Each structure stands twice: as C-alpha cells, then as structure tokens.
Amino acid sequence: MLNLRKKKAIEVNAYMPYGLKDLNIVAPFMKPSKNSNPEVASCYGMRELQKRSLTIKAWQHIDVKQSDGTVSFDVTSEKFFGSDQHPSHLEGVQVIKVVPPITLTCDEDIDWISCSTPFANHPLNILSGIVNFKYDHQPNFFIYFDAKKELEYTITPLMPLFHLVPLVDRPVKVNYIYDWNEGVKIREKFRIWPKYNLYKRIKAIRG
C-alpha cells in the first residue's frame, strides 16, 4: 500500500504572475469529494489521480473557436497567454501548443506524466506525454483539433485542464513564487538550446 506521509516530498517551485496569487492554479494533491454516492468521480482510479498529481487549472477566461480549418483564441489577457501551431503527423489534424504563465522547476531528475483531466467536461483533446522540470520548465500542453470540424467553446477560470503525475511514489510540495520576471528568465535560459536538438540535448545530460 502506498504511504506518502513517510516519504520525502518532491519540491517544485512554481513561478507565476502576482495576479494569480491565491487562485490555486497549480493545485497539489486535490482532496477528492466526500460524496459517497456511486458516481464516476468516486471510483478508485480517479480519486487516486487527484491525490497523486498536480492539477493545472485555467488561469483566465479563454474562448476557443475553430472554423474554416483555423483555430483562434480570445483571451482575457494576451500578456499571459501564448499559442503556436505545430506540424501534425496525422492527416487532417491541427496541433496547437498552449503556453500557460507558469514556470516549474525541480532540482531532482524526475519524470512526470502530463495527461488530460477527467474532472472537466470539455471537448478539447489534450495530448499526454513525459516532462521533466529539472531540464524543461514550461508546462505547455498540446491540443489536437480535427481540421474538418467546427467548434466554439469557453474555458472558464479555474477549470481543471490537465494533470502532472510524478513517476515516483512520493508526495509533492509546491513553493509558490509570484515573480513572473524571474520565471521568464528561467524560461529564456532554457530556450537558448536549439529546438531541433532539444531531445538529444536532454538525453545527453541525463546520460
């Protein structure tokens, strides 16, 4: 049986703009609902996902529109929102990268699974993957869009978007640092690596 209380916590530093203070955008190990009724949210797998992961929530109001083969975002603040379209390996699919105003660092070499959340009713197909905050400090997420479909959807503030699950059986402690200038500096240090060589560079460092 997993016993997180007796194990050393993984320390993660979360750099965010001051305006996000106390909004719990990066939520560690959410406590599951005490509702005892038989429902999906009360199943063992979903309760354990909440307990063992960081939940990344929407930091602002975001309107998503897909029409005529293009995807657009209408957001509350352009300053704290970034998105890029990436080439897709799937025919008829657009891949959009969304960049939250969050910088995460960790001194330990630990892999995390980034995966979509079952705790929000949204139609966005968010991709899963592996991240490591010792080397890559941006918790970006990628969305698949079917180029032939049309979509209008609103992401409301504090809506759960995706989870970050450490691949070790240890609790997580988050240090919240509301200094976005420092968060951007950390990102810029990471960006000096050529994009085409990023995967090989991290593999070489890790050995």
Side-chain angles (χ1 to χ4, degrees):
M1 181 179 293
L2 177 67
N3 189 344
L4 296 176
R5 294 182 179 179
K6 296 182 180 180
K7 298 188 177 183
K8 179 184 176 182
I10 306 166
E11 287 207 33
V12 174
N13 295 323
Y15 295 83
M16 293 177 284
Y18 187 81
L20 300 182
K21 187 176 181 181
D22 300 327
L23 293 182
N24 206 26
I25 299 299
V26 181
F29 293 82
M30 296 170 59
K31 293 182 178 180
S33 169
K34 294 182 178 180
N35 187 353
S36 60
N37 295 328
E39 58 182 26
V40 173
S42 67
C43 84
Y44 176 84
M46 291 194 181
R47 290 172 68 92
E48 289 302 303
L49 177 61
Q50 282 184 300
K51 288 163 56 179
R52 302 187 193 190
S53 68
L54 295 178
T55 303
I56 306 300
K57 302 178 183 179
W59 59 99
Q60 63 174 316
H61 181 105
I62 304 170
D63 287 323
V64 184
K65 184 176 181 179
Q66 180 182 1
S67 179
D68 297 326
T70 62
V71 179
S72 61
F73 298 93
D74 186 8
V75 299
T76 303
S77 172
E78 292 283 354
K79 182 178 180 181
F80 298 126
F81 182 87
S83 66
D84 295 300
Q85 183 168 344
H86 283 241
S88 175
H89 60 288
L90 299 175
E91 185 177 351
V93 173
Q94 290 181 313
V95 181
I96 305 295
K97 178 179 75 174
V98 178
V99 184
I102 303 168
T103 298
L104 298 179
T105 67
C106 180
D107 290 336
E108 296 188 73
D109 190 345
I110 295 174
D111 287 333
W112 302 64
I113 293 178
S114 175
C115 59
S116 59
T117 178
F119 300 104
N121 181 23
H122 60 63
L124 304 179
N125 187 1
I126 297 178
L127 282 65
S128 299
I130 298 289
V131 293
N132 190 308
F133 300 120
K134 184 174 182 179
Y135 310 107
D136 185 353
H137 308 300
Q138 295 186 203
N140 304 329
F141 60 99
F142 294 80
I143 307 174
Y144 275 162
F145 288 94
D146 186 335
K148 296 180 180 179
K149 293 184 178 180
E150 294 196 356
L151 170 72
E152 288 191 15
Y153 182 73
T154 296
I155 299 174
T156 57
L158 303 184
M159 174 184 289
L161 292 175
F162 62 99
H163 294 282
L164 296 169
V165 187
L167 293 179
V168 293
D169 291 338
R170 290 165 55 191
V172 175
K173 176 185 177 183
V174 180
N175 302 313
Y176 299 98
I177 304 169
Y178 297 99
D179 183 347
W180 189 231
N181 288 333
E182 183 62 26
V184 170
K185 288 180 182 178
I186 293 171
R187 290 182 175 210
E188 292 300 327
K189 290 179 182 178
F190 179 72
R191 285 176 183 165
I192 65 173
W193 299 358
K195 290 184 179 180
Y196 61 84
N197 200 31
L198 182 56
Y199 177 78
K200 291 183 179 179
R201 181 70 178 267
I202 291 178
K203 292 291 288 186
I205 291 175
R206 298 184 72 180

